Amino acid sequence: MSTYADWLAHPSRDHYWEAGCVDGKYDQIGVPGLHTGGLFDCFVQGTLRNYVGLRQAAATQFARERQSLILT
């Protein structure tokens, strides 16, 4: 099955989507992240949510202090 068909088969947030989500798992991430997006991007809310979430709750102080955000 193609990825697109997989997406269509899971129109709501279920186990398929949860496997790849980081929100709710910030405390398990111990590395810095680079979050990028556009101000008018349809995903900008998720980008901001993950940046803030990891700044506040990443597993290590090193990771919390070194999250980077680029919005264009």
Side-chain angles (χ1 to χ4, degrees), residues 9 17 22 27-29 32 34-35 40 54-56 60 63 69:
W17 296 109
V22 297
D27 62 343
Q28 299 174 30
I29 299 171
L34 173 61
H35 309 264
F40 302 102
L54 285 163
R55 289 280 298 178
Q56 294 175 345
T60 65
L69 175 65

Side-chain angles (χ1 to χ4, degrees), residues 43-62:
F43 301 111
V44 72
Q45 290 179 340
T47 301
L48 293 170
R49 182 175 48 251
N50 288 328
Y51 170 75
V52 171
L54 285 163
R55 289 280 298 178
Q56 294 175 345
T60 65
Q61 181 177 347
F62 178 79

Side-chain angles (χ1 to χ4, degrees), residues 7-18:
W7 295 348
L8 293 177
H10 298 274
S12 61
R13 189 169 176 167
D14 61 9
H15 68 281
Y16 176 84
W17 296 109
E18 288 297 325

